[in-house]
Amino acid sequence: MTPRELPIYELETALVAALRGTGRVVVQAPTGSGKSTQIPQMLRTHGFLEAGEVVVLQPRRLAARMLARRVAEEVGCALGDEVGYQIRLESRISARTRVRFVTEGILLRQMSFDARLRGVSALVFDEFHERHLYGDISLARALQIQATTRPDLKIVVMSATLDAQGLAEYLAPCEILTSQGRSFPVAIEYLARAVNFEAEPVWDVAARECARLAGSTEGDFLVFLPGAYEIGRTVQALGEHRELHGCVVLPLHGELPPEAQDRAVARTSARKIIVSTNVAETSLTIDGVTVVVDAGLARQAKFDPNRGINTLLVEKISRASADQRAGRAGRTAPGRCLRLWTEREHAGRLAQELPEVRRLDLAEVVLTLKASGIDDVAGFPWLEKPDPKALARAEMLLIDLGALALEKKSAGGDGQAVITELGRRMLRFPVHPRYARMFLEAEARGCVRPVALMAALTQGRSFLQRGLPRAVDEAREEALGEETESDFFLLMRAWRFAEKASFGLDACRRLGIHAQGARAVGPLFASFLEIAEKEGLDVAERRPEAGAVAKCVLAGFSDQVARRLDGGTLRCELVHARRGFLARESAIQRAPLLVVAEVSEIGRGDGEVSTLLSLATAVEEPWLKELFPADYREERAVVYDPEMKRVITRRERRFRDLVLEARVSGDEAPLGEAALLLTREVVAGRIKIEAWDETVEQWILRVNRMAEWFPELEVNPLTDADRPTLIEQLCYGELGARAVKDKGKDEIMAVLRDWLTAEQLAVLDDYLPERLTMANGRKAKLEYAKEGPPVLSARIQELYGIEGRFTLGRGRVPVKIHVLAPNYRPIQVTDDLTSFWRDMYPTVKGELSRRYPRHEWR
């Protein structure tokens, strides 16, 4: 089939017309239709690239490189000439390039340094359904640029499976173009029983099933595994089956050299078995595949709140991804897809992956947006708005790292967080801001290599096993030595031991090292070294100065500085008002001050949550002042000591909000500050003034109701906001809670009466008295409330001989009467005793007189 015969060409005319009209198009076309390779060529053919290039965004590096190679071959040029690619750490482009395939982070960084996107005529977002974070952000930025400085910019969004209508509403005005493509039916099969890949390795299961299917199928195999290590083991396992000896087995993943990747997709005369990561799930069409064997696993980026970073861990794929993989078997002929899980397990999987904006840390993208001049990231036109807490967490981390700084508003108070010069330097590194900060510190201190290894060690789960027999612990200590400075240093020695032993199972097991976990660190270490070297850092092996590596850890995790609360326990207090317990297996048991790279919240049986601190590194207090001088301060503080029950003056040293040391000063606390502190304690309910009782509250209510009912008296109501002022007057001149607590009623009332003028005070008891004298000479207590009339409550015998209605304030305020039984429970609410005696009393008298015969009943 020639390129012009691909199904995508049925949209060519409509695509060109739409781009010349609205300039925005959504293309919905299945995998294999040719959209990734042919739409960039359509733009070139129809003159859209005469003034600039088309940038095609791909979610994966391998796809970007291989698609660029394919298009270069079809155009008839050398790769890097008119057609090229640009991915992290690798670039094949020139001044003549008009079709440039890139990964998503490349474009967003370009936007942060050039908001006009000079030299770019069109942007094509491929495989957009995968909803990568950088794809979402790049599209939003592209729309902003098109709507302001570049109305000539063309935008094409493409996907095999996508909610096209929802996206079209976001892009409006735009057009939706759909190609049905060509595909053949694929028979889906499942395993009869569930497999535990911990007990039976996934590579053995995949190889066994390939061998079983080989005799009943034709065409090439495509086997999906999560990563390079699993692919390597699967390639070995496939070679052990006689049924497959005539097949060519080829791995396909991003860590392979380009020539090996090209071999995997090239045509061969022999039957092929391609063992691939999810890079073959979309974008790349591999001719000849009719059988898919899917392990149902992929390495997915996900925010790990324990470590405060994004990690890449093996997870189960969604049903939508499984359908994408199955479709690879039906591109050229009817096919079969075997899923290495049961049909029941399939129903329990997610329908589709969560967008990355909902599962990744946003610190790196927030920093990139800030560099683009977007200070209000919450108001950014997100395709899907992130959790406000996730945005706040990202900004706080960047402020802690020194990448952002709060800009003061002209009228005072905190303004937007803006990028600093340090933040712009951190953007040079295509890694999480924590590691960028660590690399910059390592560059200054000559310890880039160990910091790169530490960064790699934090990416996966710890490979040092816990709860081991004493013999294993002793063997580990003998081989690795004792460690008192950093848990990282112990991990580094353990990894080097495993590497020297070629990650052999027996050697690693002897020291309680998970061999597969340790092996996974190697490629990550190499990747971090490559990034550092690309940015001009010295990655040579050298002996750094004492404390240099620990200072780099502090630079990257300063938001997780902790202070031991006492020597007898593992309790710690952290920055940002958190508390936790240092892990018992940590080697850093004696350090009073430390920084931790992992903070885990662990549920307990009683429903509470314990915070566990792991991967600790001992730090020294002078380092805090050296690395973060603006966050370290010494100050005098006036505080309330609940144990001494008094206000004291303390001398404190603080790192941000973490008190490093506090000691009581001999200085007497100023009376004004003492009064304010005691007032806060009283208002918060931690100190109770015994004499401030219901009588006092009733007096306040009488004042407030007088202000309401008699506005001509011009009484200022006493609100909740006014109470601290009154309490402060009571506390003034006192240092101790005991003295405040024992304030007498007379002292309290003296302060309260000062709220009123002499004239107002003179009429208060006249207009709104505490008690009301009734016609029979009895005095009944009145209850005032925030709403409604005053209430007079009296037993029925106390009301004998009293008729009519009661009023206060010279007849302006009616009184409600609660008539009580002898047990003081209300039997009637009325505002007219005359009608009560006439209408209700005859009914209740008989019943009450039987229940209370000893009482008088008239």
Side-chain angles (χ1 to χ4, degrees):
M1 181 186 296
T2 65
R4 293 287 310 179
E5 296 175 303
L6 288 167
I8 197 64
Y9 275 95
E10 68 189 21
L11 302 181
E12 183 177 15
T13 302
L15 175 70
V16 171
L19 287 176
R20 286 180 177 154
T22 64
R24 301 177 183 176
V25 184
V26 175
V27 175
Q28 197 169 19
T31 304
S33 60
K35 62 184 181 301
S36 301
T37 57
Q38 301 310 306
I39 282 184
Q41 295 186 61
M42 292 179 194
L43 297 176
R44 172 178 173 270
T45 301
H46 290 278
F48 288 101
L49 309 183
E50 291 177 359
E53 63 180 347
V54 56
V55 178
V56 186
L57 277 81
Q58 286 294 325
R60 298 178 181 84
R61 290 180 293 165
L62 188 151
R65 191 191 68 78
M66 299 189 79
L67 287 169
R69 181 177 293 277
R70 175 82 61 87
V71 173
E73 289 173 357
E74 293 180 1
V75 168
C77 71
L79 184 62
D81 189 27
E82 193 174 348
V83 180
Y85 66 90
Q86 191 176 4
I87 59 179
R88 193 180 73 180
L89 308 177
E90 189 179 344
S91 178
R92 293 286 294 276
I93 57 175
S94 67
R96 295 181 299 279
T97 301
R98 284 294 175 268
V99 179
R100 176 164 57 108
F101 288 84
V102 304
T103 44
E104 294 158 329
I106 297 291
L107 177 63
L108 190 54
R109 286 172 183 275
Q110 182 178 348
M111 289 172 166
S112 69
F113 296 116
D114 178 12
R116 288 184 58 85
L117 284 181
R118 285 182 283 266
V120 176
S121 294
L123 296 174
V124 176
F125 295 80
D126 199 9
E127 306 302 345
F128 195 75
H129 68 276
E130 295 193 17
R131 294 300 308 281
H132 287 240
L133 178 57
Y134 277 102
D136 280 13
I137 302 301
S138 299
L139 177 58
R141 284 291 292 128
L143 294 177
Q144 284 185 324
I145 292 169
Q146 187 191 56
T148 54
T149 58
R150 288 291 311 280
D152 60 312
L153 184 67
K154 310 301 180 187
I155 298 174
V156 181
V157 184
M158 307 194 303
S159 174
T161 59
L162 186 66
D163 174 15
Q165 191 58 48
L167 183 60
E169 290 173 7
Y170 176 71
L171 293 173
C174 83
E175 295 192 36
I176 303 174
L177 304 179
T178 303
S179 171
Q180 299 304 319
R182 300 187 194 119
S183 61
F184 293 86
V186 177
I188 307 294
E189 302 170 25
Y190 297 89
L191 294 181
R193 61 176 181 84
V195 178
N196 179 4
F197 289 141
E198 293 290 330
E200 189 175 8
V202 64
W203 45 85
D204 287 341
V205 178
R208 182 185 70 220
E209 295 301 325
C210 285
R212 181 177 66 81
L213 291 172
S216 59
T217 58
E218 296 180 354
D220 296 337
F221 279 76
L222 178 57
V223 185
F224 285 102
L225 273 299
Y229 176 72
E230 293 85 357
I231 287 173
R233 294 299 300 266
T234 304
V235 169
Q236 293 177 12
L238 288 167
E240 297 170 3
H241 289 271
R242 275 183 325 204
E243 301 91 332
L244 305 174
H245 281 179
C247 299
V248 177
V249 181
L250 297 165
L252 180 60
H253 57 80
E255 296 171 27
L256 290 171
E259 54 273 17
Q261 296 170 355
D262 293 341
R263 269 199 307 275
V265 299
R267 293 181 180 274
T268 61
S269 55
R271 191 177 193 185
K272 286 194 302 185
I273 301 178
I274 303 149
V275 190
S276 175
T277 59
N278 58 358
V279 70
E281 185 178 309
T282 56
S283 301
L284 297 175
T285 296
I286 305 173
D287 294 332
V289 171
T290 59
V291 184
V292 166
V293 175
D294 185 4
L297 303 170
R299 277 194 162 79
Q300 293 183 351
K302 187 176 288 187
F303 176 62
D304 184 343
N306 299 343
R307 282 169 275 185
I309 55 170
N310 294 325
T311 57
L312 206 60
L313 299 177
V314 175
E315 305 279 350
K316 293 178 180 178
I317 64 170
S318 68
R319 299 197 299 271
S321 290
D323 291 342
Q324 281 281 332
R325 293 181 176 188
R328 312 304 279 167
R331 291 290 151 231
T332 55
R336 290 172 68 180
C337 171
L338 173 64
R339 292 170 174 166
L340 302 183
W341 62 94
T342 66
E343 194 166 5
R344 183 175 180 178
E345 288 176 310
H346 185 72
R349 295 194 171 208
L350 290 174
Q352 55 192 11
E353 268 77 28
L354 283 174
E356 284 189 347
V357 72
R358 292 173 56 190
R359 58 182 166 90
L360 287 186
D361 174 50
L362 303 175
E364 191 173 353
V365 78
V366 166
L367 186 60
T368 307
L369 289 174
K370 297 281 187 179
S372 302
I374 299 168
D375 293 328
D376 180 16
V377 292
F380 183 71
W382 302 85
L383 174 55
E384 183 166 342
K385 282 194 176 294
D387 183 348
K389 291 180 181 177
L391 277 180
R393 182 181 62 224
E395 281 205 2
M396 177 59 72
L397 173 60
L398 292 169
I399 290 169
D400 285 342
L401 294 176
L404 299 181
L406 285 173
E407 184 181 57
K408 291 291 183 181
K409 292 181 179 177
S410 57
D414 291 339
Q416 298 284 1
V418 297
I419 192 167
T420 63
E421 184 54 38
L422 176 63
R424 293 190 185 280
R425 290 171 60 203
M426 288 166 62
L427 269 179
R428 288 167 35 202
F429 298 88
V431 295
H432 190 278
R434 286 193 190 276
Y435 303 135
R437 182 70 178 87
M438 289 171 69
F439 272 136
L440 287 173
E441 201 64 36
E443 179 184 25
R445 300 182 186 280
C447 53
V448 172
R449 196 172 191 87
V451 164
L453 178 54
M454 293 170 92
L457 289 167
T458 61
Q459 291 291 290
R461 298 184 177 96
S462 175
F463 54 77
L464 276 183
Q465 298 172 7
R466 302 170 182 173
L468 300 169
R470 182 184 294 274
V472 177
D473 277 336
E474 290 173 350
R476 181 186 289 177
E477 187 169 340
E478 182 180 348
L480 305 181
E482 187 182 7
E483 180 54 53
T484 59
E485 293 182 49
S486 175
D487 291 327
F488 275 118
F489 296 167
L490 184 63
L491 273 175
M492 292 161 82
R493 292 200 294 273
W495 182 78
R496 290 191 177 107
F497 171 89
E499 182 191 38
K500 192 173 181 180
S502 300
F503 304 101
L505 290 176
D506 290 339
C508 290
R509 191 180 294 118
R510 187 170 61 83
L511 300 192
I513 296 172
H514 192 282
Q516 185 175 335
R519 184 192 298 273
V521 172
L524 292 167
F525 180 32
S527 177
F528 277 116
L529 282 177
E530 194 175 1
I531 290 168
E533 197 167 17
K534 179 83 172 178
E535 295 302 325
L537 275 56
D538 183 359
V539 299
E541 192 78 62
R542 62 177 71 250
R543 178 181 286 277
E545 293 181 7
V549 178
K551 287 180 182 179
C552 295
V553 180
L554 173 59
F557 291 88
S558 66
D559 58 314
Q560 294 177 179
V561 170
R563 178 181 69 87
R564 291 284 295 277
L565 287 173
D566 51 67
T569 71
L570 297 174
R571 295 187 309 142
C572 297
E573 193 169 34
L574 288 88
V575 169
H576 300 318
R578 295 168 293 172
R579 288 200 172 190
F581 291 85
L582 182 64
R584 294 192 179 280
E585 62 271 12
S586 173
I588 318 306
Q589 298 284 331
R590 298 185 186 90
L593 197 61
L594 42 96
V595 60
V596 294
E598 190 167 339
V599 180
S600 313
E601 290 190 346
I602 300 170
R604 303 194 316 226
D606 59 4
E608 295 298 315
V609 173
S610 291
T611 301
L612 189 68
L613 313 178
S614 311
L615 280 180
T617 299
V619 297
E620 298 177 15
E621 189 175 326
W623 300 355
L624 302 175
K625 190 174 184 179
E626 178 188 351
L627 269 67
F628 299 95
D631 295 331
Y632 179 91
R633 60 189 183 277
E634 300 181 45
E635 57 189 26
R636 178 185 69 84
V638 176
V639 296
Y640 172 72
D641 189 318
E643 293 183 4
M644 298 173 65
K645 295 187 182 301
R646 65 181 287 108
V647 175
I648 59 172
T649 303
R650 260 192 341 200
R651 296 286 177 181
E652 292 182 347
R653 295 199 307 279
R654 287 175 172 261
F655 177 64
R656 296 174 186 156
D657 64 344
L658 177 65
V659 178
L660 303 172
E661 185 186 51
R663 55 187 176 82
V664 177
S665 166
D667 301 341
E668 190 77 0
L671 295 180
E673 290 185 57
L676 277 173
L677 271 175
L678 288 172
T679 299
R680 289 192 203 112
E681 295 298 309
V682 172
V683 171
R686 291 185 286 270
I687 298 175
K688 182 172 176 57
I689 302 176
E690 300 294 345
W692 192 300
D693 57 12
E694 183 59 26
T695 305
V696 175
E697 292 296 335
Q698 278 291 303
W699 191 91
I700 293 172
L701 281 169
R702 288 163 63 205
V703 168
N704 290 344
R705 299 315 296 270
M706 189 163 72
E708 177 185 349
W709 290 327
F710 306 98
E712 70 275 10
L713 296 177
E714 298 182 349
V715 174
N716 291 320
L718 207 161
T719 67
D720 289 343
D722 298 318
R723 286 174 181 256
T725 304
L726 298 171
I727 294 169
E728 186 181 347
Q729 291 180 48
L730 278 172
C731 296
Y732 194 81
E734 302 291 350
L735 291 178
R738 294 186 187 91
V740 173
K741 181 179 178 181
D742 295 336
K743 289 286 183 182
K745 182 69 64 67
D746 290 343
E747 292 175 280
I748 295 171
M749 293 309 300
V751 170
L752 290 176
R753 288 190 184 99
D754 282 343
W755 187 262
L756 301 177
T757 67
E759 293 79 6
Q760 293 166 345
L761 192 59
V763 298
L764 175 62
D765 287 337
D766 181 29
Y767 279 29
L768 300 177
E770 285 186 77
R771 295 180 179 274
L772 185 66
T773 303
M774 297 183 290
N776 59 5
R778 294 180 183 272
K779 288 188 175 181
K781 186 178 180 181
L782 290 163
E783 294 285 339
Y784 295 86
K786 290 182 179 179
E787 295 179 354
V791 174
L792 183 153
S793 299
R795 288 185 303 158
I796 196 166
Q797 282 80 13
E798 296 171 332
L799 296 172
Y800 285 155
I802 302 174
E803 302 280 344
R805 302 171 184 269
F806 294 161
T807 60
L808 304 175
R810 300 177 183 177
R812 287 166 63 175
V813 180
V815 176
K816 281 282 185 190
I817 304 165
H818 284 197
V819 182
L820 308 180
N823 64 353
Y824 290 93
R825 290 189 177 179
I827 56 173
Q828 182 67 33
V829 177
T830 182
D831 56 8
D832 184 0
L833 282 174
T834 301
S835 62
F836 168 73
W837 297 124
R838 183 184 64 242
D839 301 330
M840 295 300 302
Y841 182 66
T843 305
V844 300
K845 176 184 176 182
E847 180 183 347
L848 291 174
S849 61
R850 286 192 297 273
R851 291 173 61 188
Y852 305 100
R854 295 182 181 179
H855 289 266
E856 177 188 7
W857 299 101
R858 295 183 185 176

